[in-house]
Amino acid sequence: MANSEPNHDTVNNEICKFYLTGRCRFASQCRNMHPPSASPPPSPRKKSEEKIEPSPPTTEKKPSMKTADHVINRILWDEKLTQQKFTIGYLDRFLGIIEKPFEAFSWEHLAEVDINVLAIPKHRIQYFKYKNIKVWDKNERLDKVFGSTGTQTTIIETMKEIDELPVITEQYLSENMQQLGIVKRELMNRDAKPTHFICVKITDPQVVAKCVAAQKMVVRHEPCYSGYVIPADDLHITIAMLNLDNLGAIVDTVQSMKDFASELKDSSFIKLCIDGVDVFHRSVLFAKVDDADEAFLRFTERLLTRLQAAGVCVIVDRVEFIPHVTLVKTSALLPDDKRCIEPVLVQLVCEDAFGVQMVDNLTLYSVERSKEGGHECLASVRISGSV
């Protein structure tokens, strides 16, 4: 078998081309010449041997931000800070960001509090508000409590600035629309199609039971109306019809509802007495809200003003606002002789007193009905302090 190794005993007169490039692996045993005058270039460095110059730092280190724990202790122990004026926004694992008054929380150790007490891990706190204006926000690195992120303002100066802001009333908005950059939409035309509505959902058990009993009485007399009664979970008193054509408009509406409800936490509650029934256009049987007082009318006007100021498309196509609870609404799909609600149905339930509903919530529904006949509930805001 032939030997595959090179024969190094015979030396040629040729200069080794590998020696010239510094890559000859045979050294003195190479059969080609390695003349001293032709010194090989230095071997190329391996990448691992190359010296890596450290890159200069791109940005300076951000200043350390005071934590939520620092803010809590400041609010708890600083006598100049009123706890009732602060709100906390925290992250719920299932519901997202939730706002609660500072006083609603217990700051004892989580292992020591009762299950019915509102206590959360402090790392879930996202922001603090003073009078509905953020003064500390973890994600935005906003700190107007201690000024630790370079804002150069502390909570005392911040509270003074906020306290000096004008009180936003309907008159203030109407007089300062241009200066505030608020575009008031002209929505008195009937061309805009309603897509959503805000209402007070009927939550009083007695009122719900009375409404269901009235509906059963109507269906017993006219079985064809069984598919046109309003489900018990959807009974409501409509306040505003809206045109919300995108997700951003819905988000703005829900935020306006939350802000409006938070302003009412110290106000007295409005009671609506529901008594008797009537008919709209011979197609809607409704329970009447008996003599809605001025407080409720002012309540609705303030809400409409707040929504319009936020750029929400509010549809106002009614000559007069008549609060009511729809019980039955007929359809063009019914036979011709059944589309109109007969006066006898009104007489069946006209003497029934339904009860009292507190204005304890604001609920946003979609106008479109589901297959079950109800409206899709998008958000419900509880008015703080209601019982």
Side-chain angles (χ1 to χ4, degrees):
M1 183 175 180
N3 189 0
S4 59
E5 293 292 328
N7 185 5
H8 302 296
D9 297 334
T10 303
V11 179
N12 295 331
N13 291 328
E14 297 180 3
I15 296 176
C16 177
K17 60 181 180 180
F18 296 102
Y19 174 75
L20 294 177
T21 59
R23 292 185 293 141
C24 181
R25 58 191 178 88
F26 296 110
S28 61
Q29 297 182 4
C30 181
R31 64 183 179 180
N32 294 320
M33 293 178 61
H34 289 187
S37 58
S39 58
S43 301
R45 282 185 177 182
K46 296 181 181 179
K47 289 185 177 181
S48 59
E49 297 175 353
E50 293 180 359
K51 185 177 180 181
I52 300 175
E53 295 292 337
S55 58
T58 55
T59 57
E60 296 182 359
K61 184 179 178 181
K62 294 181 179 179
S64 178
M65 181 178 176
K66 293 289 187 179
T67 65
D69 198 18
H70 291 106
V71 181
I72 292 169
N73 288 330
R74 179 71 181 271
I75 298 173
L76 285 174
W77 304 111
D78 192 333
E79 295 181 353
K80 297 179 181 178
L81 276 58
T82 306
Q83 297 182 17
Q84 293 88 341
K85 295 181 181 180
F86 286 88
T87 306
I88 291 179
Y90 68 95
L91 181 63
D92 185 274
R93 289 181 294 176
F94 304 103
L95 303 177
I97 301 296
I98 296 178
E99 285 191 8
K100 293 287 185 182
F102 182 86
E103 289 184 308
F105 294 86
S106 171
W107 303 114
E108 299 179 27
H109 194 280
L110 293 177
E112 299 175 356
V113 298
D114 188 78
I115 191 172
N116 297 320
V117 175
L118 180 58
I120 59 171
K122 294 174 183 175
H123 67 267
R124 289 193 188 171
I125 296 176
Q126 304 299 304
Y127 57 81
F128 291 83
K129 286 183 177 181
Y130 174 76
K131 286 188 175 180
N132 224 27
I133 296 179
K134 287 183 181 179
V135 294
W136 186 95
D137 190 300
K138 178 167 64 177
N139 296 324
E140 298 177 6
R141 284 186 57 81
L142 172 69
D143 181 10
K144 291 187 177 182
V145 180
F146 298 96
S148 62
T149 57
T151 58
Q152 305 299 324
T153 52
T154 61
I155 190 60
I156 303 300
E157 292 86 359
T158 302
M159 289 193 306
K160 184 178 180 181
E161 292 177 4
I162 296 174
D163 292 339
E164 291 176 354
L165 291 175
V167 178
I168 305 300
T169 62
E170 291 87 344
Q171 182 179 358
Y172 179 85
L173 287 174
S174 62
E175 293 176 353
N176 297 272
M177 283 284 184
Q178 187 174 357
Q179 291 86 338
L180 293 172
I182 298 172
V183 179
K184 184 176 181 180
R185 302 183 184 183
E186 295 298 333
L187 301 169
M188 299 304 292
N189 62 74
R190 297 174 183 269
D191 296 333
K193 182 181 178 181
T195 60
H196 300 77
F197 63 90
I198 296 177
C199 65
V200 176
K201 185 175 181 179
I202 303 300
T203 56
D204 184 83
Q206 177 185 344
V207 177
V208 173
K210 288 279 189 176
C211 289
V212 172
Q215 291 171 331
K216 289 181 178 179
M217 195 177 301
V218 171
V219 172
R220 197 178 305 123
H221 185 81
E222 287 290 355
C224 63
Y225 291 158
S226 61
Y228 300 94
V229 299
I230 305 302
D233 289 340
D234 281 354
L235 293 169
H236 62 270
I237 300 171
T238 302
I239 295 177
M241 301 298 296
L242 313 174
N243 180 276
L244 309 178
D245 54 3
N246 57 67
L247 181 59
I250 295 175
V251 172
D252 290 343
T253 301
V254 174
Q255 186 60 52
S256 296
M257 291 164 55
K258 290 181 178 179
D259 293 343
F260 180 73
S262 67
E263 295 174 359
L264 303 173
K265 61 176 124 181
D266 296 327
S267 64
S268 57
F269 300 112
I270 303 170
K271 297 180 181 180
L272 299 177
C273 298
I274 303 172
D275 186 10
V277 298
D278 207 341
V279 176
F280 281 139
H281 309 297
R282 302 187 66 186
S283 61
V284 177
L285 179 70
F286 65 92
K288 296 187 293 185
V289 176
D290 188 28
D291 295 330
D293 60 14
E294 287 295 324
F296 182 62
L297 298 179
R298 287 196 302 270
F299 173 91
T300 58
E301 288 299 325
R302 288 177 60 193
L303 176 60
L304 294 178
T305 301
R306 169 58 69 94
L307 292 170
Q308 287 182 325
V312 177
C313 184
V314 181
I315 301 173
V316 184
D317 59 357
R318 298 172 288 184
V319 177
E320 184 181 2
F321 172 54
I322 304 176
H324 65 278
V325 183
T326 300
L327 301 176
V328 180
K329 187 174 184 179
T330 62
S331 167
L333 300 176
L334 286 167
D336 292 344
D337 60 336
K338 298 298 182 183
R339 293 178 187 175
C340 296
I341 296 174
E342 297 297 332
V344 65
L345 294 179
V346 177
Q347 296 173 4
L348 285 174
V349 290
C350 67
E351 295 181 358
D352 280 358
F354 291 85
V356 176
Q357 170 64 43
M358 302 290 292
V359 181
D360 60 359
N361 70 90
L362 288 173
T363 304
L364 178 66
Y365 279 105
S366 171
V367 168
E368 292 186 2
R369 294 181 180 271
S370 63
K371 294 181 179 179
E372 292 75 20
H375 297 281
E376 180 186 3
C377 178
L378 301 181
S380 185
V381 178
R382 186 172 174 81
I383 296 177
S384 302
S386 54
V387 293

